[in-house]
Amino acid sequence: MSDHSHDLPFWKKYIFSVDHKMIGIQYTVTALVFLAIGFGMMLVMRYQLAYPNQPIPVIGQFLGEPIVAAVENPDTGETGYVLTGDGYNSFGAMHGTIMVFLAIVPLAVGGFGNFVLPLQCGAPDMAFPRLNMASYWTYLPGGILMMFGFFVKGGAANSGWTSYPPLATIATTGQTIWLLGMVILITSSLLGSVNFIVTVVQLRAKGLSFFRLPFFAWAQLVTAFLLLLAFPPLEAAGVLQLMDRVAGTSFFDPGGLIVSGVEQNTAGGGSPLLWQHLFWFLAHPEVYVLILPGLGIISEVIANNTRKPLWGYKSLVYSAIFLGFMSFIVWAHHMFMTGMGTTLSTFFQATTMIISVPSVIILTCLIISLWGASIRFTVPMLFALAFLPMFGIGGLTGLPLGLTASDIHLHDTYYVIGHFHYVVAPGTIFAMFAGIYYWFPKATGRKMNEWLGRIHFAGSFVFINAVFMPFFFMGMASVLRRQFDQTETLHGAAVQGLSVMSTWGAFGLAAFQLPFVFNFFWSIFAGERVGANPWHATTLEWSAPSPPPHGNFLSEPVVACGPYEYSVPGEAEDYTMQSPPPATA
Amino acid sequence: MQLLGQATDIAPYANWMPPMLSEHGGQIDNLISVLHIFMAILFVAWGAFLTYTVIRFRARAGHKADYHPVKGKASKYAEIGIGLFEVFLLLGLSMPVWAAYKNNPPKADDRVEVRAIGEQFQWNFHYPGPDGVFGRTNAKFIDAASNTVGLDPDDPAGKDDIQTIGEMHIPVGKPIYVRVSSKDVIHSFAIPTMRVKQDCIPGMEIPIWFTAKEDATTERVKREMIQEFPVADVDWYRLRHHVAVQDYQDESGQVILKEGEGIGLSREAGEKKLKTLRDVTDTIKMQPRNPLEIICAQLCGNSHFKMKAQVFTYDAAGYQEWMDNAVPKEVEIDFGGF
Ligand code: HEM
Ligand SMILES: [Cu+2]
Ligand SMILES: [Cu+2]
């Protein structure tokens, strides 16, 4: 990171940097920290779920009121700290919020998008470097503000990551913090997405036509449009809910509510469902924001490790674009149980079935790409190969939720949790790991250790399934989500064993992240040194030195071919770079 | 878990889903089964192809990747096939069920009406009583002890109305028309065994209807769900909603667990009881205290997880008897001082 950069003072180089690579790394590291926090909260919740009302070992004492409550063990006289119902709800809401808005999106878009996209476009930097810096420096305070919610009276937001009013409107101060945090985070995201779009449209290297862009760049472009168009309604909705809470308006309040026996003196006339429409108008496109960059990474890794062109590149691109469009008209499938009539539900079921088609096409293209390949089982490729069936499970289990009749039974159960976690955890997170192992050499000039990577992969693969597979069966058995203790119900108690299994899966998963953490830091300083193109890849980022200097390329890249020209007959090497670096590099 | 009165068509999930006791529920389970069979076939086919491909095309000495894309229409046919099947799922299986569930409310003279009102954290029920007319309600009459729905004491139509907390009493074999609403936040009225779920949105009264199967009386379902648990390795929570169906006594003849009793409502009590039971028996025969639970499916606050109620289902005579006993006697009405 140091060799080529100019003599910038430390704080300009590492802190208030305008270099897309440094900002990408800042995003990546911050997002990984949030990922660990979100996961840590879930470990506490999972402990409670497996051992209801038992003291949380080791860390219970540090969590504080109102997250935990002290209880004395009548036999031993020892004080233990058990999670409270409010604490569980706070952790649940914050797990969702952190994972979506502070971990995965910043990692996938802010981290990988920032670092890789300008390089893949052959650009010296983002179109608006200062805007880029502003985006990170809005994200970080927004995230810190979110976490600050834990220190106000009543604890952090506890109305779910969806914050449905009226529950959210009457919730404790944490919810106000959540809303302020969201407004700031959305602003950050808007700053980023404008930048991405302009960069791809304006700063492509000579000869890099749209259809020579790597699929990763396409995925980021579509993602940026989704963020740009979907977030503003939520930002507006967030401000309205904030007004309901602090200024006495009643946008989402029908009036006449009687809370704990006390009639609320509000003007009324609002609609709780309005919030849900506005929220899901964002949040459905948001799930494609969570997965598209992952699909982009997987495509790069697959092309590189199959040593052959991606199968159906154009289908992939058109599918991603179509997915983007469709994602705006499926939102109400999250609301089938609100009392929707047949006409409306038919429309949203139909659009939901339609949107599954491009997803199937993308997955099919990626799998067929393996046919006729010469597959290298590198660590990124292992994660990419595992991604395919895992994302498949996530996608398939969306079907019963997208059809209203089966959704009656499965709505709001653990089946839903299983479904979307297969998409975002063994799906997106595996894609993120693939991306980290893949581009780490570009960012640092060193490779991560292969064997530690394999241990990390194998353990994660086994345990992540142990965490999430039980959820489908629990959902079938009607175990509802957001439950502090499922043994409170007859059918929940019957399948409590599955919950215990999931908890132990989560602890196993945590243990197998240690090799990764160690590998990551160790490799920065002691990993095997590599050159500009260690994977023998084709796309433009590999034409720049590793790590690329400020301004990225030693000479302006000129693109002569498509992104995945592997194993071209008649060529000496099995990869033909889009722009071979100057002979000296 | 024992499935009751179930059509064999839901067998694949019989051990996972709660018993299915409503008339429309079979179709839902059916759809879920078909879907999962379809999903399993796709997944296994994909998975087999993936595994085969990965092994066959692994990198090795002398093996080279082929630059040219595979030709062939197989994937296109597969995609079209999947698309068509989805159309069939939607139009053939899902829509008819949903339409039946949503489009044709039972006629007013042929249904039993109940209002279900969610509140943090209990379910309140309001029945129109013998006259079939709901009395007027108003928030100002609400009394947490005696009048949770806020019945107007001056409305003659309300004199015979029945109110219950945490219990819904219904006849089997007759359409039940539930008007679902909420006093405070959004709840969701869910009866897993009836395959019923409806969000309760404050400010709205949303109707939902279902018919409990003829043979689904609470008494019978309980009997069908009698199960023998091995006391040596069963956890307290597994039994916390069950009651013994016979007495268990130790050698001296002292009764340790009485028929109709549970092992205890707290973990401590339950585990102690289990310990003593281990000395006298290997298994205990138990049945659910009440198998037909109403749960709240929408996050509604810190006790959301225990916001539940029970459904009691009766045959016609039993229902009449319940109603006769439940109807307030004129003199006994206490409207909390209003
Ligand atoms: C890999 C580790 C993860 C584990 C073990 C895990 C586990 C869980 C569990 C058990 C729940 C249900 C809690 C409840 O309903 O009470 C949940 C909820 C949720 N998770 Fe995760 N999760 C993980 C990763 C993620 C990731 C990567 C994302 C994001 C993109 C995510 C997003 C969410 C959301 C949005 C919810 C819903 C929160 C709510 O109900 O408001 N999770 N998670
Ligand atoms: Cu509730
Ligand atoms: Cu609830």
Side-chain angles (χ1 to χ4, degrees):
Chain A
M1 253 163 287
S2 52
D3 319 331
H4 301 277
S5 46
H6 313 285
D7 296 324
L8 290 170
F10 178 84
W11 60 275
K12 268 203 156 165
K13 200 160 106 194
Y14 294 109
I15 300 178
F16 293 105
S17 170
V18 291
D19 185 322
H20 74 98
K21 299 181 293 295
M22 184 47 66
I23 297 174
I25 291 168
Q26 288 174 332
Y27 259 115
T28 303
V29 172
T30 317
L32 285 173
V33 170
F34 276 118
L35 193 66
I37 296 175
F39 185 49
M41 288 179 179
M42 189 42 73
L43 289 180
V44 175
M45 292 166 72
R46 288 272 15 135
Y47 190 84
Q48 152 68 25
L49 291 171
Y51 306 107
N53 300 312
Q54 311 277 60
I56 306 290
V58 192
I59 65 160
Q61 52 191 308
F62 303 113
L63 296 176
E65 300 255 359
I67 303 293
V68 290
V71 289
E72 201 169 299
N73 184 327
D75 298 335
T76 63
E78 280 170 32
T79 309
Y81 295 85
V82 296
L83 197 61
T84 62
D86 281 318
Y88 182 89
N89 286 350
S90 276
F91 270 19
M94 294 306 284
H95 163 80
T97 306
I98 289 172
M99 285 303 198
V100 174
F101 297 109
L102 294 172
I104 298 295
V105 177
L107 184 57
V109 178
F112 286 105
N114 255 313
F115 188 89
V116 178
L117 188 66
L119 284 168
Q120 281 194 339
C121 290
D125 204 313
M126 279 284 182
F128 310 113
R130 270 163 216 291
L131 210 57
N132 206 10
M133 178 177 89
S135 167
Y136 177 77
W137 285 104
T138 334
Y139 156 65
L140 184 62
I144 292 172
L145 178 64
M146 273 292 184
M147 301 305 294
F148 178 69
F150 280 106
F151 301 100
V152 300
K153 193 162 174 295
N158 54 18
S159 308
W161 82 290
T162 49
S163 287
Y164 282 4
L167 183 64
T169 323
I170 62 175
T172 48
T173 317
Q175 183 64 23
T176 304
I177 307 282
W178 187 91
L179 289 164
L180 291 170
M182 281 309 293
V183 170
I184 295 175
L185 289 172
I186 293 171
T187 307
S188 154
S189 178
L190 292 177
L191 294 175
S193 53
V194 178
N195 214 345
F196 278 47
I197 294 170
V198 177
T199 303
V200 177
V201 174
Q202 293 293 335
L203 295 188
R204 277 169 293 122
K206 205 178 285 167
L208 186 60
S209 63
F210 270 103
F211 278 114
R212 283 179 175 177
L213 276 177
F215 183 64
F216 175 83
W218 272 108
Q220 288 285 345
L221 181 63
V222 174
T223 303
F225 270 105
L226 294 183
L227 288 171
L228 186 66
L229 298 176
F231 257 139
L234 184 66
E235 186 150 27
V239 173
L240 298 186
Q241 193 182 99
L242 195 61
M243 291 303 113
D244 274 13
R245 285 182 57 88
V246 300
T249 57
S250 55
F251 291 105
F252 305 122
D253 174 3
L257 303 185
I258 303 150
V259 180
S260 312
V262 181
E263 194 165 359
Q264 307 287 294
N265 282 318
T266 54
S271 160
L273 287 184
L274 175 61
W275 166 269
Q276 296 189 18
H277 284 291
L278 292 171
F279 180 86
W280 288 114
F281 186 81
L282 154 92
H284 197 85
E286 178 78 11
V287 307
Y288 291 92
V289 169
L290 294 172
I291 193 64
L292 272 173
L295 285 168
I297 294 172
I298 295 299
S299 306
E300 299 303 297
V301 171
I302 285 187
N304 176 252
N305 289 287
T306 52
R307 316 307 294 163
K308 71 178 271 141
L310 280 181
W311 192 86
Y313 166 80
K314 281 205 175 167
S315 307
L316 282 170
V317 171
Y318 289 130
S319 296
I321 296 172
F322 185 61
L323 211 64
F325 273 111
M326 288 303 293
S327 73
F328 284 98
I329 47 170
V330 296
W331 79 88
H333 67 205
H334 297 271
M335 300 167 60
F336 284 148
M337 294 305 125
T338 55
M340 202 180 277
T342 311
T343 318
L344 202 57
S345 76
T346 307
F347 176 77
F348 283 106
Q349 283 181 89
T351 54
T352 304
M353 292 301 114
I354 292 171
I355 203 171
S356 71
V357 174
S359 318
V360 171
I361 293 179
I362 290 178
L363 204 55
T364 311
C365 288
L366 292 178
I367 292 182
I368 296 184
S369 295
L370 302 172
W371 191 270
S374 173
I375 301 171
R376 297 189 313 209
F377 295 97
T378 60
V379 177
M381 187 60 170
L382 291 175
F383 278 101
L385 286 175
F387 171 95
L388 299 174
M390 297 294 101
F391 178 63
I393 294 179
L396 284 171
T397 50
L399 266 182
L401 300 169
L403 294 168
T404 46
S406 33
D407 190 45
I408 296 170
H409 184 62
L410 299 173
H411 186 82
D412 264 331
T413 65
Y414 263 85
Y415 197 92
V416 179
I417 304 289
H419 153 65
F420 73 75
H421 280 81
Y422 261 94
V423 177
V424 293
T428 305
I429 292 188
F430 271 25
M432 297 299 126
F433 282 136
I436 290 174
Y437 284 102
Y438 184 63
W439 280 303
F440 191 89
K442 184 51 51 186
T444 62
R446 292 171 188 273
K447 231 172 160 169
M448 287 176 78
N449 181 280
E450 185 86 13
W451 276 104
L452 283 175
R454 287 185 183 192
I455 293 170
H456 173 217
F457 165 75
S460 299
F461 182 70
V462 170
F463 283 105
I464 212 159
N465 280 292
V467 178
F468 294 117
M469 191 52 79
F471 289 180
F472 294 120
F473 298 96
M474 285 158 62
M476 287 281 192
S478 281
V479 177
L480 298 173
R481 59 190 290 199
R482 297 168 168 177
Q483 302 265 69
F484 174 69
D485 175 4
Q486 74 180 53
T487 71
E488 275 293 331
T489 56
L490 177 66
H491 52 272
V495 293
Q496 170 71 1
L498 291 171
S499 194
V500 176
M501 169 178 170
S502 169
T503 297
W504 284 104
F507 282 102
L509 183 61
F512 272 96
Q513 302 317 299
L514 299 179
F516 171 74
V517 175
F518 173 77
N519 196 354
F520 188 87
F521 289 107
W522 181 79
S523 301
I524 292 177
F525 304 104
E528 177 198 341
R529 268 187 193 284
V530 292
N533 190 4
W535 305 112
H536 294 176
T538 50
T539 45
L540 284 183
E541 73 270 32
W542 304 105
S543 303
S546 302
H550 197 67
N552 294 345
F553 296 91
L554 299 181
S555 62
E556 197 189 319
V558 178
V559 173
C561 61
Y564 305 119
E565 293 297 288
Y566 286 102
S567 302
V568 181
E571 294 279 327
E573 300 278 2
D574 73 347
Y575 61 106
T576 309
M577 297 182 75
Q578 285 191 294
S579 167
T584 53
Chain B
M1 201 180 284
Q2 177 78 42
L3 263 191
L4 180 98
Q6 117 216 1
T8 44
D9 56 354
I10 55 168
Y13 298 97
N15 291 320
W16 292 109
M17 291 167 79
M20 196 288 296
L21 304 170
S22 68
E23 281 182 356
H24 72 280
Q27 286 170 285
I28 293 178
D29 289 9
N30 204 6
L31 173 64
I32 292 179
S33 302
V34 172
L35 278 169
H36 282 83
I37 291 167
F38 168 66
M39 286 151 58
I41 292 173
L42 271 185
F43 185 73
V44 170
W46 261 348
F49 179 77
L50 182 66
T51 313
Y52 172 75
T53 316
V54 166
I55 294 171
R56 174 163 166 198
F57 296 105
R58 69 194 183 278
R60 55 196 183 270
H63 175 71
K64 280 198 64 156
D66 181 3
Y67 175 74
H68 302 285
V70 269
K71 296 243 166 47
K73 296 252 180 288
S75 71
K76 199 148 280 166
Y77 291 143
E79 277 159 14
I80 292 172
I82 293 170
L84 288 179
F85 194 73
E86 284 185 357
V87 172
F88 162 70
L89 288 173
L90 177 61
L91 300 180
L93 293 179
S94 180
M95 285 318 301
V97 185
W98 186 257
Y101 178 76
K102 281 277 164 188
N103 278 3
N104 299 304
K107 295 216 175 51
D109 52 3
D110 184 36
R111 67 193 187 199
V112 174
E113 292 208 20
V114 192
R115 291 176 64 223
I117 303 140
E119 153 177 21
Q120 290 172 324
F121 298 92
Q122 72 183 28
W123 290 105
N124 307 297
F125 297 94
H126 178 190
Y127 310 76
D131 68 352
V133 182
F134 286 107
R136 264 198 315 270
T137 57
N138 188 313
K140 70 179 181 218
F141 300 118
I142 288 180
D143 177 86
S146 58
N147 189 3
T148 57
V149 306
L151 207 54
D152 182 344
D154 294 332
D155 182 5
K159 295 280 185 225
D160 65 343
D161 286 15
I162 304 166
Q163 298 189 32
T164 56
I165 300 171
E167 295 178 0
M168 185 168 92
H169 301 263
I170 56 169
V172 295
K174 231 177 136 117
I176 313 296
Y177 188 85
V178 191
R179 300 170 179 272
V180 174
S181 64
S182 165
K183 282 187 190 175
D184 41 36
V185 302
I186 300 177
H187 303 274
S188 186
F189 179 81
I191 316 177
T193 46
M194 299 288 170
R195 308 294 189 259
V196 163
K197 196 171 279 159
Q198 172 60 53
D199 286 0
C200 318
I201 320 274
M204 296 172 143
E205 194 171 79
I206 302 168
I208 187 165
W209 50 91
F210 65 94
T211 305
K213 285 187 172 181
E214 282 287 354
D215 56 2
T217 58
T218 301
E219 279 316 309
R220 175 150 182 267
V221 178
K222 274 193 202 172
R223 273 203 312 277
E224 293 284 331
M225 289 178 75
I226 291 176
Q227 222 179 325
E228 248 181 284
F229 295 96
V231 270
D233 51 30
V234 67
D235 282 309
W236 160 78
Y237 64 74
R238 188 68 185 82
L239 305 180
R240 62 185 286 199
H241 305 292
H242 285 73
V243 292
V245 296
Q246 66 179 66
D247 286 352
Y248 288 92
Q249 29 190 263
D250 62 14
E251 277 138 40
S252 65
Q254 198 199 336
V255 177
I256 294 179
L257 187 63
K258 262 222 293 279
E259 180 184 346
E261 256 183 14
I263 61 162
L265 289 179
S266 74
R267 173 186 302 277
E268 289 73 30
E271 276 169 0
K272 251 182 221 135
K273 181 73 91 178
L274 265 177
K275 224 175 263 161
T276 53
L277 276 166
R278 278 180 196 136
D279 299 334
V280 300
T281 177
D282 292 334
T283 60
I284 34 176
K285 245 189 185 163
M286 301 190 101
Q287 66 182 15
R289 192 170 285 116
N290 194 315
L292 308 181
E293 289 177 324
I294 298 174
I295 50 183
C296 174
Q298 185 64 265
L299 178 64
C300 56
N302 59 15
S303 300
H304 157 64
F305 69 104
K306 51 184 174 187
M307 173 165 168
K308 49 175 194 169
Q310 311 294 346
V311 188
F312 294 93
T313 46
Y314 307 93
D315 56 18
Y319 182 65
Q320 193 59 46
E321 191 187 328
W322 169 76
M323 182 117 99
D324 290 344
N325 289 329
V327 171
K329 309 288 173 286
E330 198 74 24
V331 282
E332 287 172 10
I333 301 180
D334 170 16
F335 286 110
F338 286 104

